Coordinates of all heavy atoms in Angstrom, one line a residue:
A277 N 58.2 -94.1 253.4 CA 58.8 -94.5 252.2 C 59.1 -93.5 251.3 O 59.2 -93.7 250.1 CB 57.9 -95.6 251.6
K278 N 59.3 -92.2 251.7 CA 59.6 -91.2 250.8 C 60.9 -91.4 250.1 O 61.9 -91.7 250.7 CB 59.6 -89.8 251.5 CG 59.9 -88.7 250.5 CD 59.5 -87.3 250.9 CE 59.8 -86.3 249.8 NZ 59.4 -85.0 250.1
T279 N 60.8 -91.3 248.8 CA 62.0 -91.5 248.0 C 62.1 -90.2 247.1 O 61.2 -89.4 247.1 CB 61.9 -92.8 247.1 OG1 60.7 -92.7 246.4 CG2 62.0 -94.0 248.0
G280 N 63.1 -90.2 246.3 CA 63.2 -89.0 245.4 C 64.3 -88.1 245.8 O 64.8 -88.3 246.9
P281 N 64.6 -87.2 245.0 CA 65.7 -86.3 245.3 C 65.6 -85.5 246.6 O 64.5 -85.1 246.9 CB 65.8 -85.3 244.1 CG 64.5 -85.4 243.5 CD 63.9 -86.7 243.8
V282 N 66.7 -85.3 247.3 CA 66.7 -84.6 248.5 C 67.2 -83.1 248.1 O 68.2 -83.0 247.3 CB 67.7 -85.2 249.5 CG1 67.7 -84.3 250.8 CG2 67.4 -86.6 249.9
A283 N 66.6 -82.1 248.6 CA 67.0 -80.8 248.3 C 68.3 -80.5 248.8 O 68.8 -81.1 249.8 CB 66.0 -79.8 248.9
P284 N 69.1 -79.5 248.2 CA 70.5 -79.2 248.7 C 70.5 -78.8 250.1 O 71.6 -79.0 250.8 CB 70.8 -78.0 247.8 CG 69.9 -77.9 246.7 CD 68.6 -78.7 247.1
R285 N 69.4 -78.4 250.7 CA 69.4 -78.1 252.1 C 67.9 -78.4 252.5 O 66.9 -78.0 251.9 CB 69.6 -76.6 252.2 CG 69.3 -76.0 253.5 CD 68.8 -74.6 253.3 NE 69.2 -73.7 254.4 CZ 68.5 -73.7 255.6 NH1 67.5 -74.5 255.7 NH2 68.9 -72.8 256.5
P286 N 67.8 -79.0 253.7 CA 66.4 -79.3 254.3 C 65.9 -78.0 254.9 O 66.6 -77.4 255.7 CB 66.7 -80.4 255.3 CG 68.1 -80.3 255.7 CD 68.8 -79.6 254.6
W287 N 64.7 -77.6 254.5 CA 64.1 -76.4 255.0 C 63.2 -76.9 256.1 O 62.5 -77.9 256.1 CB 63.2 -75.8 253.9 CG 64.1 -75.2 252.8 CD1 64.4 -75.8 251.7 CD2 64.9 -74.0 252.9 NE1 65.3 -75.0 251.0 CE2 65.6 -73.9 251.7 CE3 65.0 -72.9 253.8 CZ2 66.4 -72.8 251.4 CZ3 65.8 -71.8 253.5 CH2 66.5 -71.8 252.3
H288 N 63.2 -76.0 257.2 CA 62.4 -76.2 258.4 C 61.5 -75.0 258.6 O 61.9 -74.0 259.2 CB 63.3 -76.5 259.6 CG 64.3 -77.6 259.4 ND1 65.6 -77.4 259.5 CD2 64.1 -78.9 259.2 CE1 66.2 -78.6 259.2 NE2 65.3 -79.5 259.0
L289 N 60.3 -75.2 258.1 CA 59.4 -74.0 258.1 C 58.1 -74.2 258.7 O 57.5 -75.4 258.7 CB 59.1 -73.6 256.6 CG 60.3 -73.4 255.7 CD1 59.9 -73.4 254.2 CD2 61.0 -72.1 256.1
V290 N 57.5 -73.2 259.3 CA 56.2 -73.2 259.8 C 55.3 -72.3 258.9 O 55.8 -71.2 258.5 CB 56.1 -72.7 261.3 CG1 54.7 -72.2 261.7 CG2 56.6 -73.7 262.2
L291 N 54.1 -72.8 258.6 CA 53.2 -72.0 257.8 C 52.0 -71.5 258.6 O 51.4 -72.3 259.3 CB 52.7 -73.0 256.7 CG 52.1 -72.5 255.4 CD1 53.2 -71.7 254.7 CD2 51.6 -73.6 254.5
L292 N 51.8 -70.2 258.5 CA 50.7 -69.6 259.3 C 49.8 -68.8 258.4 O 50.2 -68.3 257.3 CB 51.3 -68.7 260.4 CG 52.2 -69.3 261.4 CD1 53.0 -68.3 262.2 CD2 51.5 -70.3 262.3
G293 N 48.5 -68.5 258.9 CA 47.6 -67.7 258.1 C 46.2 -68.1 258.3 O 45.9 -69.3 258.6
P294 N 45.3 -67.2 258.2 CA 43.9 -67.4 258.5 C 43.2 -68.3 257.5 O 43.7 -68.5 256.4 CB 43.2 -66.0 258.5 CG 44.1 -65.2 257.6 CD 45.5 -65.8 257.8
P295 N 42.0 -68.9 257.8 CA 41.3 -69.6 256.8 C 41.0 -68.7 255.6 O 40.8 -67.5 255.8 CB 40.0 -70.0 257.5 CG 40.0 -69.3 258.7 CD 41.4 -68.9 259.1
G296 N 41.1 -69.2 254.4 CA 40.7 -68.5 253.2 C 41.8 -67.6 252.6 O 41.6 -66.9 251.6
V297 N 43.0 -67.7 253.2 CA 44.1 -66.8 252.7 C 44.9 -67.5 251.6 O 45.7 -66.9 250.9 CB 45.0 -66.5 253.9 CG1 46.1 -67.6 254.1 CG2 45.7 -65.1 253.6
G298 N 44.6 -68.8 251.3 CA 45.2 -69.4 250.2 C 46.5 -70.2 250.6 O 47.3 -70.5 249.7
K299 N 46.6 -70.6 251.9 CA 47.8 -71.3 252.4 C 48.0 -72.6 251.7 O 49.1 -73.0 251.5 CB 47.5 -71.5 253.9 CG 48.6 -71.2 254.8 CD 48.2 -71.0 256.2 CE 46.9 -71.9 256.6 NZ 47.2 -72.8 257.8
G300 N 46.9 -73.4 251.4 CA 47.0 -74.7 250.9 C 47.7 -74.7 249.5 O 48.6 -75.5 249.3
T301 N 47.3 -73.7 248.7 CA 48.0 -73.6 247.4 C 49.4 -73.3 247.5 O 50.3 -73.8 246.8 CB 47.2 -72.4 246.6 OG1 45.8 -72.7 246.7 CG2 47.7 -72.4 245.2
Q302 N 49.7 -72.3 248.4 CA 51.1 -72.0 248.6 C 51.9 -73.1 249.2 O 53.1 -73.4 248.8 CB 51.3 -70.8 249.5 CG 50.7 -69.5 249.0 CD 51.3 -69.1 247.6 OE1 52.5 -69.1 247.5 NE2 50.4 -68.7 246.7
A303 N 51.3 -73.9 250.1 CA 52.0 -75.1 250.6 C 52.5 -76.0 249.5 O 53.6 -76.5 249.4 CB 51.1 -75.8 251.6
E304 N 51.5 -76.3 248.6 CA 51.9 -77.3 247.5 C 53.0 -76.7 246.7 O 53.9 -77.4 246.2 CB 50.7 -77.4 246.5 CG 49.7 -78.3 247.0 CD 48.4 -78.3 246.0 OE1 48.6 -78.0 244.9 OE2 47.3 -78.6 246.6
K305 N 53.0 -75.4 246.4 CA 54.1 -74.8 245.6 C 55.4 -74.8 246.3 O 56.4 -75.1 245.7 CB 53.7 -73.3 245.2 CG 52.5 -73.3 244.2 CD 52.2 -71.9 243.9 CE 51.0 -71.7 243.0 NZ 51.2 -72.2 241.6
I306 N 55.4 -74.5 247.6 CA 56.6 -74.5 248.4 C 57.3 -75.9 248.4 O 58.4 -76.1 248.1 CB 56.3 -74.1 249.9 CG1 55.9 -72.6 249.9 CG2 57.6 -74.3 250.8 CD1 55.5 -72.1 251.2
I307 N 56.4 -77.0 248.5 CA 56.9 -78.4 248.5 C 57.5 -78.7 247.2 O 58.6 -79.3 247.1 CB 55.7 -79.3 248.9 CG1 55.4 -79.2 250.4 CG2 56.1 -80.8 248.6 CD1 54.0 -79.3 250.7
G308 N 56.8 -78.4 246.1 CA 57.3 -78.7 244.8 C 58.7 -78.0 244.5 O 59.5 -78.6 243.9
E309 N 58.9 -76.8 245.1 CA 60.0 -76.0 244.7 C 61.2 -76.3 245.7 O 62.3 -76.4 245.3 CB 59.7 -74.6 244.7 CG 60.9 -73.6 244.5 CD 60.8 -73.1 243.2 OE1 59.8 -73.2 242.4 OE2 61.8 -72.4 242.8
F310 N 60.9 -76.5 247.0 CA 61.9 -76.6 248.0 C 62.0 -78.0 248.6 O 62.9 -78.2 249.5 CB 61.7 -75.6 249.1 CG 61.9 -74.1 248.6 CD1 60.8 -73.4 248.2 CD2 63.2 -73.7 248.4 CE1 61.0 -72.1 247.7 CE2 63.3 -72.4 247.9 CZ 62.2 -71.6 247.5
G311 N 61.2 -78.9 248.3 CA 61.3 -80.3 248.7 C 61.1 -80.7 250.1 O 61.4 -81.8 250.4
A312 N 60.5 -79.9 250.8 CA 60.2 -80.2 252.3 C 59.0 -81.1 252.3 O 58.2 -81.2 251.4 CB 59.9 -78.9 253.1
C313 N 58.8 -81.9 253.4 CA 57.7 -82.7 253.6 C 56.5 -81.9 254.1 O 56.7 -81.0 255.0 CB 58.0 -83.9 254.6 SG 58.5 -85.3 253.9
H314 N 55.3 -82.1 253.6 CA 54.2 -81.3 254.0 C 53.6 -82.0 255.2 O 52.9 -83.0 255.1 CB 53.2 -81.2 252.9 CG 52.0 -80.2 253.2 ND1 50.8 -80.3 252.6 CD2 51.9 -79.3 254.1 CE1 50.0 -79.4 253.1 NE2 50.7 -78.8 254.0
L315 N 53.8 -81.4 256.4 CA 53.3 -82.0 257.6 C 52.1 -81.2 258.1 O 52.3 -80.2 258.9 CB 54.5 -82.1 258.7 CG 55.7 -82.8 258.2 CD1 56.7 -82.9 259.4 CD2 55.4 -84.2 257.7
S316 N 50.9 -81.6 257.8 CA 49.7 -80.9 258.2 C 49.0 -81.7 259.2 O 48.7 -82.9 259.1 CB 48.8 -80.8 257.0 OG 47.5 -80.7 257.3
T317 N 48.7 -81.0 260.4 CA 48.0 -81.7 261.4 C 46.5 -82.0 261.0 O 46.0 -83.0 261.4 CB 47.9 -80.8 262.8 OG1 47.7 -79.5 262.4 CG2 49.3 -81.0 263.5
G318 N 46.0 -81.1 260.1 CA 44.7 -81.4 259.6 C 44.7 -82.8 258.8 O 43.7 -83.5 258.9
D319 N 45.7 -83.0 258.0 CA 45.9 -84.3 257.3 C 45.9 -85.5 258.3 O 45.4 -86.6 258.0 CB 47.1 -84.3 256.5 CG 46.9 -83.4 255.2 OD1 45.8 -82.9 254.9 OD2 48.0 -83.2 254.5
V320 N 46.6 -85.3 259.4 CA 46.6 -86.4 260.4 C 45.3 -86.8 260.9 O 44.9 -87.9 261.0 CB 47.6 -86.0 261.6 CG1 47.5 -86.9 262.7 CG2 49.0 -85.8 261.1
F321 N 44.5 -85.7 261.2 CA 43.1 -86.0 261.6 C 42.2 -86.6 260.6 O 41.5 -87.5 260.8 CB 42.5 -84.7 262.2 CG 42.9 -84.3 263.6 CD1 43.7 -83.2 263.7 CD2 42.7 -85.1 264.7 CE1 44.2 -82.8 265.0 CE2 43.2 -84.7 265.9 CZ 43.9 -83.6 266.0
R322 N 42.3 -86.1 259.4 CA 41.5 -86.7 258.2 C 41.9 -88.1 258.0 O 41.1 -88.9 257.7 CB 41.8 -85.8 257.0 CG 40.8 -84.6 256.9 CD 40.9 -83.8 255.6 NE 42.2 -83.1 255.5 CZ 42.4 -81.8 255.9 NH1 41.4 -81.2 256.5 NH2 43.5 -81.3 255.8
Y323 N 43.2 -88.3 258.1 CA 43.7 -89.7 257.8 C 43.1 -90.6 258.9 O 42.6 -91.8 258.6 CB 45.2 -89.7 257.9 CG 45.8 -91.1 257.6 CD1 46.1 -91.6 256.3 CD2 46.0 -92.0 258.7 CE1 46.6 -92.8 256.1 CE2 46.6 -93.3 258.5 CZ 46.8 -93.7 257.2 OH 47.3 -94.9 257.0
A324 N 43.1 -90.2 260.2 CA 42.6 -91.0 261.3 C 41.2 -91.4 261.1 O 40.7 -92.5 261.4 CB 43.0 -90.4 262.6
A325 N 40.4 -90.4 260.6 CA 39.0 -90.5 260.5 C 38.6 -91.5 259.4 O 37.6 -92.2 259.5 CB 38.4 -89.2 260.1
R326 N 39.5 -91.8 258.4 CA 39.1 -92.7 257.4 C 40.1 -93.8 257.2 O 40.1 -94.5 256.2 CB 38.8 -92.0 256.1 CG 40.0 -91.2 255.6 CD 39.8 -90.6 254.2 NE 40.9 -89.7 253.9 CZ 42.2 -90.0 253.6 NH1 42.5 -91.3 253.6 NH2 43.1 -89.1 253.4

Side-chain angles (χ1 to χ4, degrees):
K278 181 160 179 177
T279 53
V282 182
R285 168 214 211 281
W287 294 95
H288 304 119
L289 303 168
V290 160
L291 200 61
L292 302 166
V297 83
K299 228 164 26 125
T301 309
Q302 294 304 314
E304 276 173 32
K305 290 176 184 292
I306 293 171
I307 287 142
E309 179 105 6
F310 294 97
C313 268
H314 188 199
L315 305 184
S316 150
T317 43
D319 286 349
V320 172
F321 285 111
R322 276 186 287 275
Y323 181 88
R326 56 174 172 72

